[in-house]
Amino acid sequence: MRILIAIMFFVSAVLSACGDGAQTQSDPPPALAGKAELQDVKPAQMVSLSLKELGLPAGADKVTPSGAVSNALLKDGQLRFSTPGDTGKDQEASFEIKSGPTTSQFHVVIRSQRPTSAEAYDDSTDNGYSSPDLIVDGLVANNVMTGAPLTFRMQGVSTLDLKEQSAGRITTDGNTTILVQLEKFWSFNPADSSFSISGPAMQRILDTLPKGSFGMHLYFAAKDGEFAASYDMQVSKAETRLSGNLLSEQGDPVTSLAGREVLLNGVNTQTRAVAVLDANGAFAFEHVLPDVYFLTLSDLHYPNVVSTSFPIYEGSTQAKVTMVVPPGLGIDTGAKAAAQRVAAPGSSAVRSSVTQDGKEPPSRDIPASKRSSPAAPLPADEGDRAVFSVTAAEQDRPVSKNIDFEVPAGTESVSVRITVLTEESRASAKNRGTHVDSWSYSVVGLPDSGLSASGLVDQMYGTDRIAKRACVNVSKQTKNSALKISGSVSATNIGDGLLPTTTTVELSLECMRPKSSSTNLKVVSAKFSSPNKNSNPIISPLKVSERSNLAGSYLSIPQSRSDNTNTIPLEIRYSPDDATITEVNLGITQVNATTEVLLGTSPGVSTLTFSNVNLLTQNHTREPGLIKFPGLSLPTFSGAMAMGNITVTVRLKGSVGGAAVSSDPAADAEHGQVEFNEKKKFTPLYLAGDVTGLSDRRFGIRDTNKGGDSWSTTETIAWLLGCSLCRFNDVSSQHVAQVGAEHDSILVHKGHSDGQQIDLRYADGLGDYSDVLGGQDGGAHIRQLLNAAKTEIAENAARAAETGIGSWFAGPKQRELEQWIIANRAILQIEGNKPYTRVIFIGGSFIKQALIDGQFPDNSTIPVVGAWTTKPATVEFTPDGHMDHWHISLKGALLYK
């Protein structure tokens, strides 16, 4: 979660005069101690924020929420609240927090994970053009398609002839595979320039689609090239109804929580919904997509403790889930009444479960040699140590265990070790599919800790584990009495009963006590955060779609020189907290390497490679056990580029009790790895302009004052190297830095924030991509060529009429124009049909007329070339942009061929 805190301090006192002229001081009004902006809070989420990290005293005693959030709680040094379901639009909430006479105000943006509006994509922000809003009628909640008619209408647009050159398509979500071409089903209404798809036509479309989430792309264009608008939106075919009940461990409905909420989170589809419990503990969700889901009871006192996980399979129309509420959480589960009944012989506690009418995935062929042996028994609990562990082995049967641990009075600290282990990493890629086990844990009661997480094991392929630890000071909480720690651990084996997953929480006492007697220096955690000190969101693009920016964590890795233009906040926690740290280094290593090798390089950074630069020479602050860099410049990592995702690892050096020590990244990789938004894998970006063979192929102004403008994935660099003569300008900014309310790239683009979008000169028709006919000066020279060829053709025709010799012949300007059109159509045809191409933009007006229509600006036909009848659907024009270059958005491109 990225948190932007802009705190403004001021304290005022008001003096008033009494009737006899003597001055007395009135009681001062509450001081406004802080105003903070929180970003990237998600819908249908239990949120726990550290008061300390928000700059608030741990003794804050009152919180008042407003806006989209109605319930909030201050407890264990945290601000806790539950967010509403996803409405398809961003929502806002505010919190007023009081600590004695001091008042702090916080504003929260609850960012939609599945926006329902059609997003217009205009690549450039400086051409003065803005697409009109698109209204889509006929979709139900969350953009679910039904048999109802659909209508597409742009606000403020009428009487434009859009019939011939407009198109629409439905694609697989996150891919460019076309499933439906909408222009085959819609009709055009010239009265308001709208398009409609009838009810029967919509039913035919639905009959061809599986259940799931899809991308819908809509492109409306006028024949004269003076208007075009491109839109993207998410739609779905979802027919599953999910109903459920809360049960006690005895199997009885929990009836004491009427009006409370349960939160549904689809991990892959990003579905986030909320349902209200009725008097019988029942709830329901409509139009649920196939996915793996987490279901959680909204409980601010025990956040994420009552939870379960389950799959919804492709063919399901009805699914029923039960979620068990364990005892000891202050919830009346009817256990006392149940205890008076005589239990059946051999009966045991009820477990959470799911039943559905859809088919489970086909069985996998996993050799016995690849399957795990029985897990070794965990060490027995001791007085100052307890282990809470579950292993999910049965198919689709969640298994959970409550955490119940008492910390004695007078205890100084508590150690928490969390591990998730999966055998799914043994499976080959073809044997993974939908078999992605789920895990979760929540530790409640420790001050200012926020130890709660959930996820799927596909995040762990190549590592087989997730590990986390913390050493929490509880001396204040245990000064006069014992401290109770509660929570839960759980796991679900999704799809079959093979290759189990285990979740473990280990609690022990006095992790701080050894202190200087310990010779083990360890990195407890390391985190990048966003936005940076310039208030620019970094690393992950906030505006994401198939045609704008691809979701991910993008990190610019300098190879020849470090740059401090767009820095990164970094926080490192270590133990023992009284260690003297004298050196901090960063290292990188690649994971999930591709099979392709970049031309002219070695296979990549396959081993952990550390920079020798001591980061402590940069601005930082220190507390016991904590180092903060408000704006870190990454050191250089020369040599081979990483060919896949990378991890970033922290290494510490210093002394403990006078003895020299160093953290061991090899033995403690899970904790030394830097995370961002709870993920530890980054897509590395490199400056394409510095690569041999590319440095002399740039055009345009270099944005060195913005940290560079050609930060690219290794695959994008490979594409550029393969396009041997192509000349390019902007790709992405350093760490994909963004700006403004629309989260545009700081390079003044709507997109260009994923290292895979390139601006390129047009082909000049002479075998090169030179400036003049490549688009220089807004395409002025291209237009001059069009005008010259038109004049030449007219003059030759007139001369032929006068002399009576022939009818016409091609002059040099006409031939030059023909070659320009042929050359550009050729590269656009090749790249537009590549599976890795998301979209290509070319210029509108005379560029579009020449390349697509084969016409001069006056709409007359250019001889010989004719209209471009084989134009790929991925090639689109923009009316007021891309006159001096064309644009390509890639997705995982390998070598240009």
Side-chain angles (χ1 to χ4, degrees):
M1 183 180 300
R2 291 185 286 277
I3 302 177
L4 166 61
I5 306 180
I7 300 183
M8 301 174 292
F9 295 93
F10 68 92
V11 179
S12 63
V14 178
L15 299 178
S16 61
C18 294
D20 59 1
Q23 291 185 338
T24 61
Q25 182 171 322
S26 66
D27 292 334
L32 181 61
K35 185 177 181 181
E37 189 84 10
L38 311 180
Q39 292 183 346
D40 275 5
V41 177
K42 297 179 180 180
Q45 180 182 16
M46 298 296 303
V47 180
S48 297
L49 301 176
S50 164
L51 294 177
K52 181 179 180 180
E53 292 184 1
L54 293 176
L56 293 174
D61 49 24
K62 183 179 180 181
V63 57
T64 304
S66 60
V69 173
S70 58
N71 293 307
L73 177 70
L74 297 174
K75 189 173 182 180
D76 298 332
Q78 297 174 331
L79 166 63
R80 297 176 183 170
F81 58 93
S82 176
T83 56
D86 200 337
T87 63
K89 297 181 179 180
D90 292 347
Q91 304 172 76
E92 298 184 2
S94 296
F95 301 88
E96 182 181 84
I97 299 177
K98 293 186 177 181
S99 179
T102 303
T103 299
S104 302
Q105 295 178 351
F106 294 85
H107 179 251
V108 174
V109 176
I110 305 167
R111 201 168 298 284
S112 174
Q113 303 300 293
R114 291 184 62 87
T116 53
S117 60
E119 179 189 353
Y121 182 65
D122 306 308
D123 176 49
S124 180
T125 63
D126 63 352
N127 58 17
Y129 176 78
S130 180
S131 296
D133 291 337
L134 176 68
I135 298 174
V136 182
D137 293 323
L139 299 173
V140 300
N142 299 315
N143 282 5
V144 174
M145 297 180 292
T146 66
L150 277 188
T151 301
F152 308 98
R153 184 177 67 257
M154 289 176 286
Q155 284 188 325
V157 174
S158 62
T159 67
L160 281 179
D161 184 6
L162 306 176
K163 182 178 181 179
E164 290 186 18
Q165 301 206 0
S166 297
R169 56 182 181 267
I170 295 176
T171 64
T172 50
D173 198 14
N175 205 320
T176 56
T177 302
I178 298 175
L179 302 177
V180 177
Q181 292 178 294
L182 296 177
E183 62 269 23
K184 295 182 179 180
F185 296 88
W186 68 26
S187 59
F188 178 65
N189 182 359
D192 61 359
S193 297
S194 65
F195 290 85
S196 298
I197 302 177
S198 67
M202 275 304 303
Q203 191 57 57
R204 292 198 301 274
I205 290 174
L206 289 173
D207 290 342
T208 67
L209 295 174
K211 295 176 185 176
S213 182
F214 309 100
M216 178 180 284
H217 173 63
L218 301 159
Y219 177 63
F220 305 111
K223 185 175 177 59
D224 61 7
E226 297 301 324
F227 176 86
S230 179
Y231 303 89
D232 282 292
M233 60 191 303
Q234 284 184 308
V235 296
S236 62
K237 177 184 176 182
E239 301 173 353
T240 304
R241 185 177 193 270
L242 173 64
S243 60
N245 286 88
L246 293 190
L247 301 179
S248 69
E249 288 188 341
Q250 290 73 37
D252 299 320
V254 176
T255 60
S256 61
L257 298 177
R260 294 274 291 276
E261 295 176 333
V262 288
L263 317 178
L264 186 68
N265 173 13
V267 180
N268 298 305
T269 61
Q270 292 297 300
T271 298
R272 289 184 168 270
V274 171
V276 178
L277 296 169
D278 68 13
N280 297 312
F283 57 88
F285 297 91
E286 305 293 341
H287 301 301
V288 177
L289 292 164
D291 199 356
V292 176
Y293 287 90
F294 285 93
L295 182 71
T296 304
L297 174 67
S298 177
D299 188 338
L300 301 182
H301 291 276
Y302 299 94
N304 299 309
V305 173
V306 181
S307 180
T308 189
S309 179
F310 52 89
I312 296 295
Y313 292 130
E314 170 72 32
S316 293
T317 59
Q318 297 286 332
K320 172 76 174 179
V321 62
T322 60
M323 185 164 65
V324 173
V325 180
L329 302 181
I331 298 173
D332 181 7
T333 62
K336 291 182 179 179
Q340 297 176 1
R341 300 196 303 266
V342 178
S347 63
S348 59
V350 172
R351 290 167 54 184
S352 300
S353 65
V354 63
T355 57
Q356 54 191 304
D357 57 3
K359 290 184 179 180
E360 62 191 43
S363 59
R364 296 183 290 177
D365 181 18
I366 306 291
S369 60
K370 294 288 186 180
R371 302 179 190 179
S372 62
S373 56
L378 293 166
D381 293 350
E382 302 170 2
D384 61 350
R385 176 179 172 277
V387 177
F388 305 90
S389 185
V390 295
T391 297
E394 297 180 69
Q395 177 182 339
D396 300 341
R397 290 297 306 274
V399 55
S400 62
K401 188 172 186 177
N402 298 336
I403 295 174
D404 187 4
F405 185 71
E406 184 171 279
V407 181
T411 301
E412 181 185 17
S413 57
V414 174
S415 171
V416 186
R417 291 177 178 269
I418 300 165
T419 307
V420 181
L421 294 171
T422 184
E423 298 296 332
E424 285 292 342
S425 60
R426 297 169 178 258
S428 61
K430 70 175 183 178
N431 269 325
R432 290 171 185 167
T434 57
H435 301 80
V436 282
D437 300 354
S438 63
W439 54 268
S440 69
Y441 61 82
S442 182
V443 182
V444 180
L446 290 171
D448 196 31
S449 57
L451 297 171
S452 178
S454 61
L456 303 182
V457 298
D458 60 355
Q459 303 165 358
M460 301 158 58
Y461 291 148
T463 63
D464 83 4
R465 72 177 59 210
I466 294 175
K468 185 180 182 68
R469 66 171 172 233
C471 183
V472 183
N473 189 328
V474 296
S475 57
K476 292 182 180 179
Q477 288 73 24
T478 61
K479 183 177 181 180
N480 298 313
S481 61
L483 174 66
K484 182 180 179 181
I485 301 174
S486 56
S488 64
V489 292
S490 67
T492 306
N493 198 335
I494 304 292
D496 62 20
L498 304 176
L499 306 178
T501 294
T502 300
T503 309
T504 302
V505 170
E506 177 186 350
L507 300 173
S508 58
L509 304 182
E510 305 298 8
C511 51
M512 293 182 177
R513 183 165 291 174
K515 284 196 171 182
S516 297
S517 62
S518 172
T519 58
N520 294 322
L521 178 60
K522 297 181 178 180
V523 178
V524 174
S525 65
K527 296 180 181 179
F528 288 139
S529 61
S530 173
N532 63 13
K533 63 183 181 181
N534 297 326
S535 299
N536 297 127
I538 53 172
I539 299 179
S540 285
L542 296 184
K543 180 165 54 181
V544 173
S545 74
E546 186 66 20
R547 302 169 66 77
S548 57
N549 303 307
L550 297 180
S553 298
Y554 300 96
L555 202 62
S556 295
I557 306 299
Q559 290 194 296
S560 59
R561 60 190 180 278
S562 184
D563 188 291
N564 63 358
T565 304
N566 298 296
T567 56
I568 308 174
L570 171 64
E571 176 186 287
I572 302 169
R573 296 184 181 272
Y574 60 88
S575 68
D577 60 10
D578 64 342
T580 300
I581 306 300
T582 58
E583 188 170 344
V584 178
N585 309 121
L586 288 184
I588 63 172
T589 188
Q590 73 179 30
V591 292
N592 299 337
T594 64
T595 57
E596 297 284 343
V597 176
L598 189 63
L599 292 175
T601 73
S602 64
V605 186
S606 58
T607 58
L608 181 58
T609 303
F610 276 94
S611 165
N612 291 323
V613 174
N614 184 0
L615 301 182
L616 292 180
T617 59
Q618 300 187 37
N619 182 35
H620 65 279
T621 60
R622 301 194 196 210
E623 299 175 25
L626 174 64
I627 301 174
K628 288 185 177 181
F629 296 88
L632 183 74
S633 299
L634 294 186
T636 59
F637 293 91
S638 59
M641 296 180 186
M643 298 305 299
N645 290 332
I646 62 170
T647 57
V648 180
T649 302
V650 170
R651 181 179 65 192
L652 303 178
K653 295 180 182 180
S655 62
V656 175
V661 292
S662 176
S663 63
D664 185 353
D668 200 30
E670 294 91 348
H671 301 103
Q673 290 176 353
V674 181
E675 68 177 58
F676 177 79
N677 283 350
E678 300 179 354
K679 297 179 181 179
K680 296 183 178 180
K681 295 179 182 178
F682 300 89
T683 299
L685 303 181
Y686 299 93
L687 269 177
D690 287 353
V691 174
T692 302
L694 297 181
S695 57
D696 58 347
R697 286 166 46 191
R698 303 299 310 277
F699 76 89
I701 299 172
R702 302 280 63 75
D703 292 306
T704 54
N705 62 327
K706 298 179 180 179
D709 56 10
S710 64
W711 291 98
S712 309
T713 65
T714 50
E715 291 170 323
T716 298
I717 291 173
W719 187 95
L720 285 168
L721 287 170
C723 188
S724 58
L725 297 176
C726 290
R727 297 177 63 226
F728 63 101
N729 189 8
D730 291 348
V731 183
S732 287
S733 64
Q734 185 184 31
H735 309 311
V736 298
Q738 300 141 71
V739 68
E742 297 298 319
H743 312 301
D744 299 328
S745 167
I746 63 171
L747 301 181
V748 197
H749 292 281
K750 292 289 187 182
H752 283 270
S753 289
D754 58 13
Q756 299 171 79
Q757 301 175 55
I758 318 169
D759 289 343
L760 299 127
R761 281 291 197 215
Y762 289 103
D764 61 9
L766 302 173
D768 206 343
Y769 297 82
S770 58
D771 284 329
V772 174
L773 290 182
Q776 190 178 48
D777 298 329
H781 302 285
I782 298 172
R783 178 148 197 167
Q784 289 172 10
L785 175 61
L786 283 161
N787 292 337
K790 172 70 176 178
T791 299
E792 182 182 74
I793 291 171
E795 291 175 347
N796 287 342
R799 187 177 304 111
E802 290 177 3
T803 61
I805 302 175
S807 59
W808 140 144
F809 66 91
K813 291 299 180 183
Q814 181 185 342
R815 289 195 296 269
E816 187 178 2
L817 177 60
E818 290 172 4
Q819 292 304 310
W820 185 88
I821 293 173
I822 291 170
N824 280 287
R825 284 182 179 179
I827 189 170
L828 297 174
Q829 183 88 33
I830 292 171
E831 291 307 317
N833 286 322
K834 292 290 187 180
Y836 52 64
T837 297
R838 291 183 278 152
V839 67
I840 290 174
F841 291 116
I842 64 172
S845 187
F846 59 88
I847 297 284
K848 177 261 183 187
Q849 286 183 284
L851 286 180
I852 296 178
D853 302 326
Q855 293 180 343
F856 288 109
D858 64 356
N859 298 325
S860 62
T861 299
I862 300 173
V864 180
V865 295
W868 188 8
T869 58
T870 59
K871 179 185 75 67
T874 52
V875 177
E876 301 176 1
F877 74 87
T878 53
D880 292 313
H882 303 101
M883 306 306 289
D884 63 350
H885 67 275
W886 61 284
H887 167 105
I888 186 169
S889 294
L890 306 171
K891 183 176 183 179
L894 295 176
L895 298 184
Y896 172 91
K897 296 178 181 179

